[in-house]
Amino acid sequence: VLCASVPGGAWAYRKGDTLHLARRAQFNQKRTEWHEVFGRYCPHFAVDDVVAMPLPKPREFERGDEYKLSLSLEHYNFHTSWMRIVEGKRRSISIPMVHVTMVYAGEEVRSFRAKVVPLPKEYSRAHEESVSHFRNETHWPKLLVVKYEWEERDLVRVDAGILAITLIGVLVTAYLALGIIRGSRKDLAEFARESMADDEIYYGQGGRPLKGE
């Protein structure tokens, strides 16, 4: 089904720039290496698009195996979870489509999400070849329809949100630190009072040792 990971580094893009995309497959308890996707099938910054991405048949893939797909964006800064594309022995009535949603702010990609949905009827005529590939389980490579959609976020709001979270963290840390300091002071004061009381018992009010000591 989905979702995004947090980027380790930000890349600056202009509208229409091609983003690096890689794919890997999982089947029969095996996983392939990452393979780069050709530019024409990759997302382009801030541009909505629908493509038919070819999926080659992995080595050792057998009829009846499930086929799961994972995508990586922006030089492996973002990853999706495993998405089931071929049901294997449980034949699916619907044709799969991967719906990818990306969020950008300014010149940076902020999030990357993907999920498998049934291919909408309005896309079936334009992608008849993809439909026929998935209806024929022995046909490889298969053309997988991928829909790229972009959402824009206000860069100021995003930065302000990050700043607010940071400030909240600092305030919580400071509050906890003050609580620890206050507790330590209270303990020290109590210890000092007990020490003074012990001294008075030992020496007496006149400063002389008590009898019997």
Side-chain angles (χ1 to χ4, degrees):
V1 171
L2 62 113
C3 212
S5 61
V6 179
W11 296 71
Y13 299 99
R14 291 179 298 179
K15 185 174 182 179
D17 284 350
T18 302
L19 276 70
H20 176 271
L21 186 71
R23 59 169 176 78
R24 67 187 305 194
Q26 176 177 285
F27 60 95
N28 196 21
Q29 299 182 344
K30 300 181 179 68
R31 292 181 179 179
T32 67
E33 299 294 330
W34 286 107
H35 297 279
E36 294 190 359
V37 176
F38 291 126
R40 60 183 296 187
Y41 307 115
C42 294
H44 295 80
F45 188 75
V47 177
D48 294 343
D49 198 8
V50 179
V51 301
M53 181 188 300
L55 298 179
K57 181 180 179 180
R59 293 180 181 179
E60 300 182 37
F61 183 87
E62 298 179 358
R63 184 175 181 177
D65 287 343
E66 286 186 346
Y67 181 99
K68 295 182 179 180
L69 178 72
S70 178
L71 298 175
S72 173
L73 184 73
E74 203 183 43
H75 300 277
Y76 310 101
N77 281 332
F78 297 89
H79 300 84
T80 69
S81 58
W82 291 103
M83 299 174 287
R84 185 180 290 106
I85 304 300
V86 176
E87 295 287 347
K89 295 179 180 179
R90 298 177 301 172
R91 297 190 62 179
S92 176
I93 298 176
S94 61
I95 305 301
M97 181 182 81
V98 173
H99 187 184
V100 178
T101 304
M102 292 159 287
V103 176
Y104 73 98
E107 299 176 339
E108 299 177 3
V109 180
R110 292 304 177 100
S111 73
F112 173 62
R113 305 187 304 275
K115 62 181 178 180
V116 178
V117 298
L119 182 70
K121 292 182 179 179
E122 58 267 27
Y123 292 166
S124 297
R125 181 172 298 179
H127 297 281
E128 290 181 353
E129 191 174 4
S130 176
V131 173
S132 65
H133 288 180
F134 279 94
R135 284 180 176 169
N136 181 359
E137 59 180 323
T138 61
H139 186 284
W140 291 89
K142 297 184 185 295
L143 290 178
L144 174 65
V145 178
V146 181
K147 182 177 182 179
Y148 297 120
E149 283 191 335
W150 289 87
E151 299 176 2
E152 184 177 9
R153 292 288 185 271
D154 190 338
L155 184 60
V156 175
R157 291 182 180 178
V158 172
D159 291 340
I162 295 173
L163 179 60
I165 293 173
T166 303
L167 289 175
I168 291 172
V170 171
L171 290 174
V172 170
T173 303
Y175 176 80
L176 294 174
L178 286 174
I180 293 172
I181 292 172
R182 288 174 181 172
S184 299
R185 287 180 177 176
K186 183 178 180 181
D187 292 340
L188 288 172
E190 185 68 24
F191 176 75
R193 285 195 296 269
E194 290 177 356
S195 298
M196 292 176 65
D198 291 342
D199 290 342
E200 289 179 357
I201 293 172
Y202 181 77
Y203 287 102
Q205 294 181 351
R208 297 179 180 179
L210 295 174
K211 294 180 178 181
E213 294 294 331

